[in-house]
Amino acid sequence: MHLYLLSSRVSFSPPVFWHASSSATLPFPAPATAKPLPPPSSRPAKSLKSNSKCALECPHFQSCSGCTHELDLDRPSVVDEAAEFFSKLGVSDFTFDSSRLWEWRCRAKLAVRAHHPRINAAVELLRKGITALRILPYDEDQGTGDLRYVQMAVTTHNTSLPVSDRYKNGKVQVSLVWNTRNETSPSSEKLTALAQFLWRNGGPKSNENIIHSVWANFQTSSNNIIFGNRWRHLLGETDLWEHVGGIDVSLAPSSFGQANTRAFDSLLWKLQKYVPRRSSVADLYAGAGVIGLSVAASRKCRSVKCVEVNKESKLSFEKTVERLPKSLDGSISWHQADTSAEPLSWLMGSEVVIVDPPRKGLDAPLVDALKTISFRNLKPMPSTDGSQVKEEKRPWVLRARESSVYVRSSTTSDGPLVLPQTLIYISCGWESFKEDCKALLSTNKWRLEHAHGFNFFPGTQSIEVLAVFQRGKVANLKKKKLGKKKKRS
């Protein structure tokens, strides 16, 4: 099933602009009930066979640009290319996890694909409210109208329900992007009325009970950026929680969140196996720190530092940390910083580096740092506990510390002369990953050990890749030292 949310490139009149099936239930075979964590193991990519039953069967396929293929949702053709690519690099155990194929989208912006059924119901409710209240959709050419965009995020974490019932009974957080500067603008009365309509007809006292909360974002810019800088909580709960990778995660509407929660959860469980227990970890492009914090909890890391350029992720990180097990004794921190400005400062002192860049791939300075990092070009750094901020003369480090979050503990992090031994690369851009992979392997400083694929967006040729690199030369040096010790004994 497809629907079209508010598009910035189309002027709608009258303001009934969704196109969806009249039924809230998708006309597909019912997906299997979610299995308890940890997720089932993936099948080797080469053993997967095309399944003609895994068809989209959507009446809007020809008119909607969301999906690119109708058949073989469980195995997009790019999987074959990925398997061949990794095979040539010596990785013979590449696997692909097809995950949930229908009703998988738990976060929707603009054109939405086969999404969670609760989003269907919330969209229908919103459509009714827009029609009844005569809300005008945004006209990009004229800059007029009320409602520019809508974001819907589903939380399936409800501990009052059995695990098997939580996904289908998820609640929807609705974010309305309003074409005004703030809540005091004249058209804000319509915004308040629309929020109350959603809450009255979809809140906890309604028969539907599908709305988790309603938020407003104010955006008047003429560019194509979806969200403005000003947010306001209107109704419902303030915190949206999800459970992935073994931890409870808080996600504000302004924070990045994966659309396919189930597939992301599978990736996290796979990733955790490649992080040595009690290791020191740097999580770059960290967002709200979901990956780093899940590793901190599952692998009992000595230290985890999460680095993210978006300041809006800070609050979600702080709330997630509050729910981590009290038994953790590692050092955990979050830093607002651009990893491309001084990448060595974030690589130093970490045995494991995790990167989850945007679709364009790693920033060039970070690639260069990973290719050339050695003891020769490491510079002593002051303590990272914040006590020596005044002595630090590099402005980018100062800015990072001013907007950092430190969770103190009895465990001290490694010194700056520790080099990364493991690089875990999570990629949503296959083409950019191939380029970064070739660059990392070109100097023989890194070797590719493992690779896995995940079906984050069924119906498209996009796959999520989890690749694990190990430092080649360091491993060889260790072998030589071990050999000498054996001879002496």
Side-chain angles (χ1 to χ4, degrees):
M1 176 181 292
H2 290 69
L3 60 90
Y4 299 93
L5 288 182
L6 294 174
S7 171
S8 61
R9 302 190 181 280
V10 180
S11 175
F12 298 93
S13 180
V16 180
F17 37 81
W18 281 273
H19 184 55
S21 168
S22 59
S23 172
T25 304
L26 298 180
F28 309 132
T33 301
K35 297 181 179 180
L37 299 177
S41 59
S42 305
R43 294 173 290 172
K46 291 184 178 179
S47 69
L48 291 173
K49 296 183 179 180
S50 175
N51 186 354
S52 60
K53 294 182 180 179
C54 295
L56 190 60
E57 298 182 12
C58 177
H60 310 296
F61 178 77
Q62 296 298 332
S63 58
C64 174
S65 61
C67 297
T68 59
H69 62 275
E70 293 182 280
L71 304 176
D72 301 327
L73 299 187
D74 59 335
R75 185 181 173 83
S77 59
V78 69
V79 175
D80 295 323
E81 179 188 341
E84 182 179 0
F85 175 84
F86 290 120
S87 177
K88 290 180 178 179
L89 295 177
V91 177
S92 58
D93 62 347
F94 174 68
T95 61
F96 182 70
D97 189 337
S98 62
S99 192
R100 192 183 187 103
L101 300 179
W102 300 283
E103 301 178 353
W104 53 266
R105 180 176 284 274
C106 291
R107 183 174 291 258
K109 299 177 186 175
L110 301 177
V112 184
R113 302 173 184 85
H115 41 269
H116 194 288
R118 284 298 179 105
I119 291 182
N120 287 347
V123 165
E124 178 61 20
L125 181 62
L126 181 58
R127 184 191 66 80
K128 291 179 179 178
I130 289 172
T131 303
L133 300 172
R134 297 184 179 276
I135 305 295
L136 297 178
Y138 180 66
D139 185 321
E140 185 182 40
D141 295 330
Q142 302 296 324
T144 58
D146 304 314
L147 188 58
R148 294 175 63 126
Y149 299 97
V150 176
Q151 174 180 267
M152 294 191 178
V154 177
T155 172
T156 61
H157 185 46
N158 185 347
T159 56
S160 65
L161 296 175
V163 174
S164 59
D165 294 339
R166 292 178 187 176
Y167 190 84
K168 63 183 180 181
N169 289 294
K171 300 294 180 64
V172 183
Q173 177 196 72
V174 180
S175 299
L176 306 170
V177 182
W178 210 251
N179 188 34
T180 58
R181 293 184 180 277
N182 52 52
E183 59 269 33
T184 62
S185 301
S187 66
S188 293
E189 293 182 2
K190 287 186 177 181
L191 171 62
T192 302
L194 181 57
Q196 292 175 345
F197 179 93
L198 293 173
W199 192 247
R200 183 171 60 254
N201 294 281
K205 294 183 179 181
S206 68
N207 294 329
E208 297 289 337
N209 193 14
I210 58 173
I211 302 299
H212 169 276
S213 57
V214 183
W215 289 73
N217 177 265
F218 302 96
Q219 171 68 295
T220 58
S221 173
S222 59
N223 56 36
N224 61 354
I225 298 176
I226 294 179
F227 296 129
N229 295 323
R230 187 177 182 84
W231 287 86
R232 181 187 173 191
H233 173 250
L234 301 179
L235 293 164
E237 299 181 44
T238 56
D239 299 327
L240 182 142
W241 291 91
E242 193 53 80
H243 189 82
V244 291
I247 63 171
D248 291 346
V249 175
S250 173
L251 289 174
S254 56
S255 298
F256 172 78
Q258 291 287 353
N260 194 331
T261 306
R262 289 285 184 85
F264 182 51
D265 184 68
S266 297
L267 183 148
L268 289 177
W269 285 103
K270 178 73 72 173
L271 180 152
Q272 292 168 6
K273 298 178 181 178
Y274 296 114
V275 178
R277 294 181 66 85
R278 304 296 298 169
S279 58
S280 54
V281 178
D283 179 12
L284 309 185
Y285 308 94
V290 177
I291 299 173
L293 294 178
S294 71
V295 167
S298 64
R299 309 305 292 169
K300 305 296 187 290
C301 298
R302 290 196 309 279
S303 67
V304 173
K305 52 186 177 185
C306 302
V307 185
E308 167 59 33
V309 71
N310 179 16
K311 65 180 181 180
E312 298 294 339
S313 300
K314 179 181 177 181
L315 182 59
S316 293
F317 173 87
E318 292 175 317
K319 291 182 178 181
T320 300
V321 165
E322 292 176 357
R323 287 200 181 185
L324 290 179
K326 302 300 182 183
S327 59
L328 290 182
D329 62 352
S331 171
I332 301 173
S333 60
W334 183 94
H335 312 265
Q336 184 203 344
D338 184 352
T339 55
S340 66
E342 181 70 5
L344 281 177
S345 65
W346 305 114
L347 299 177
M348 291 160 56
S350 299
E351 297 165 308
V352 179
V353 174
I354 302 173
V355 293
D356 184 13
R359 194 171 300 277
K360 67 177 183 178
L362 299 177
D363 291 299
L366 178 57
V367 174
D368 292 338
L370 288 168
K371 288 168 57 178
T372 60
I373 188 171
S374 66
F375 287 114
R376 296 177 183 176
N377 55 17
L378 293 185
K379 300 178 182 178
M381 289 191 65
S383 171
T384 57
D385 63 1
S387 61
Q388 301 183 25
V389 171
K390 293 183 180 180
E391 299 179 13
E392 177 57 61
K393 296 182 180 180
R394 284 172 287 183
W396 51 85
V397 176
L398 282 177
R399 286 196 297 270
R401 288 194 179 140
E402 287 171 356
S403 54
S404 297
V405 179
Y406 294 93
V407 181
R408 301 181 183 274
S409 70
S410 58
T411 302
T412 58
S413 59
D414 294 318
L417 296 184
V418 173
L419 290 175
Q421 304 299 308
T422 302
L423 171 65
I424 301 177
Y425 192 140
I426 304 168
S427 171
C428 61
W430 173 239
E431 294 301 325
S432 60
F433 169 79
K434 289 190 294 184
E435 295 301 318
D436 288 343
C437 181
K438 292 175 183 177
L440 291 170
L441 300 178
S442 64
T443 59
N444 295 321
K445 289 289 182 68
W446 296 95
R447 64 181 187 275
L448 183 61
E449 292 279 313
H450 306 282
H452 307 281
F454 297 84
N455 202 10
F456 273 34
F457 300 96
T460 74
Q461 289 298 329
S462 176
I463 62 172
E464 200 85 2
V465 171
L466 171 65
V468 182
F469 298 82
Q470 298 289 344
R471 279 184 64 86
K473 289 189 175 182
V474 173
N476 291 335
L477 287 173
K478 285 185 176 180
K479 289 181 180 179
K480 291 181 180 180
K481 291 180 180 179
L482 290 174
K484 289 181 179 180
K485 290 181 179 179
K486 288 183 178 179
K487 289 181 181 179
R488 291 177 181 175
S489 61

